[in-house]
Amino acid sequence: MELVLEYLEGVQWEDLIFSTLRILLILVMAWVIMSVVRGGLARMERKLVESGKKQGDVPSEATKRAETLVRLLRQLVLIVVWVMALLVILNELGVSVAPILASAGVLGLAIGFGAQNLVRDVISGFFFILENQVRVGDVVVVNGTGGLVESINFRTLVLRDLEGKVHIFPNGTIDAVTNLTREWSAYVFDIGVAYKEDTDKVVGILKAVGEEMKADAEYGPNIQDIEIFGVDKFDDSAVVIKGRIKTLPIKQWYVGREFLRRVKYAFDAQGVEIPFPHRTLYFGEASPPILARMVNQEAGKAQS
């Protein structure tokens, strides 16, 4: 008991009280900072959701994207604030934080070298999600590989192609992304007709088919505009007419296939020839006798 009393008599109560108050003040400040950050992140989340909805995102996807970003930022701020608070408290308690900071620096450097690809993937994924470059359900071409976006994570982007193959790309390795379904899509067509056809007549048929589809109850709501650009080039055996159908996102192939089907029926009805590649063999001066012999042989077979 005497030892305890001697120890208590040797305690600098004034310093202890002030240190305790400073520690409490540090904890209160950390709590206030986190409360302010949570409020700011909540407002940021609401704005991200509203922005995603305005850009045509599915509400669930916009919410998921915003929640993912906000959760990552909240965790990052939480770690930074409380680590700093802990270091300040240790300093108040008389513990030297210099060796801790030096050890943390060496450890961070080692982790940085060992996990630099992982860090690169996460940072790239963060900006992918923040900038809303691609969304789940988009059709994109990533590094030359096309497919439907199935998921977007901080480390990877997952595509599924038309054959059902799943392609997984680490975000840090993505060099180029082409989004085929952002805001609106387009079906570009090149239709070849025979050289003998009247191109003005053909363009009129294509416009008539387009207007018919825009008036269709099934296909019309998916079409924004149909543009016939006109004669684009003279091919080997055809005059090529180029055009474009602007559609709702990811509806370009659905509309385009039906447009080509109707064009085929319209051309057949109007007698417009759709050429196909062919070759004519010429035997020089010997051609007439050869052809005559072939005709005679066929005639002889028919008589027998």
Side-chain angles (χ1 to χ4, degrees):
M1 187 65 181
E2 293 180 358
L3 292 175
V4 174
L5 293 175
E6 291 179 2
Y7 176 76
L8 292 175
E9 289 177 356
V11 172
Q12 301 292 330
W13 289 103
E14 184 177 350
D15 293 341
L16 180 61
I17 292 172
F18 278 112
S19 296
T20 303
L21 291 175
R22 283 195 294 267
I23 291 173
L24 290 175
L25 180 62
I26 292 169
L27 293 175
V28 170
M29 289 180 62
W31 179 82
V32 170
I33 292 173
M34 285 306 305
S35 298
V36 172
V37 169
R38 288 193 186 96
L41 291 176
R43 288 193 296 272
M44 176 183 173
E45 182 177 354
R46 288 193 296 269
K47 289 183 178 179
L48 287 174
V49 173
E50 292 173 0
S51 175
K53 291 179 180 178
K54 290 179 181 178
Q55 294 179 7
D57 284 349
V58 177
S60 60
E61 289 299 330
T63 303
K64 184 174 70 174
R65 181 171 65 90
E67 287 177 349
T68 303
L69 285 173
V70 170
R71 184 174 64 251
L72 178 68
L73 292 174
R74 186 186 297 116
Q75 292 173 351
L76 179 62
V77 173
L78 177 68
I79 293 172
V80 171
V81 169
W82 288 112
V83 166
M84 292 180 64
L86 178 61
L87 292 176
V88 175
I89 290 172
L90 290 176
N91 188 57
E92 285 293 329
L93 295 176
V95 178
S96 177
V97 297
I100 298 176
L101 293 175
S103 301
V106 173
L107 180 62
L109 185 63
I111 294 175
F113 278 116
Q116 55 183 334
N117 288 337
L118 177 62
V119 174
R120 182 186 61 181
D121 293 341
V122 171
I123 293 175
S124 298
F126 175 81
F127 284 103
F128 262 123
I129 298 174
L130 177 64
E131 297 173 0
N132 198 22
Q133 297 177 12
V134 294
R135 300 169 294 182
V136 172
D138 282 345
V139 177
V140 301
V141 178
V142 177
N143 293 350
T145 301
L148 183 74
V149 178
E150 288 203 335
S151 65
I152 306 171
N153 306 307
F154 277 114
R155 200 181 69 82
T156 59
L157 188 147
V158 182
L159 300 183
R160 185 182 295 273
D161 64 18
L162 193 61
E163 297 179 358
K165 299 176 183 177
V166 175
H167 304 271
I168 302 174
F169 298 91
N171 292 324
T173 64
I174 297 176
D175 298 322
V177 178
T178 303
N179 194 329
L180 304 179
T181 55
R182 184 66 178 267
E183 296 182 3
W184 56 273
S185 299
Y187 184 84
V188 179
F189 56 84
D190 295 296
I191 295 179
V193 297
Y195 274 88
K196 67 180 181 66
E197 301 297 343
D198 182 352
T199 55
D200 291 341
K201 174 184 174 182
V202 173
V203 169
I205 294 174
L206 295 177
K207 289 181 177 179
V209 173
E211 292 300 323
E212 178 186 341
M213 286 194 64
K214 289 177 70 173
D216 188 278
E218 180 178 355
Y219 294 94
N222 297 308
I223 299 174
Q224 294 183 354
D225 192 20
I226 297 180
E227 303 168 289
I228 309 298
F229 301 137
V231 176
D232 187 62
K233 63 180 177 179
F234 297 124
D235 216 340
D236 291 339
S237 58
V239 178
V240 178
I241 298 174
K242 182 181 286 290
R244 181 178 70 175
I245 306 174
K246 291 179 66 174
T247 70
L248 297 180
I250 213 172
K251 294 296 184 179
Q252 65 268 43
W253 299 290
Y254 171 69
V255 172
R257 294 187 185 101
E258 177 64 16
F259 177 78
L260 294 181
R261 186 185 74 84
R262 296 192 184 198
V263 166
K264 174 63 169 62
Y265 279 113
F267 280 3
D268 289 345
Q270 297 288 334
V272 177
E273 180 183 351
I274 301 177
F276 57 90
H278 61 277
R279 291 184 178 181
T280 300
L281 298 179
Y282 176 64
F283 296 96
E285 296 180 356
S287 295
I290 291 175
L291 292 174
R293 284 199 297 270
M294 292 174 64
V295 172
N296 292 334
Q297 288 176 1
E298 290 298 327
K301 290 180 181 178
Q303 293 176 358
S304 62

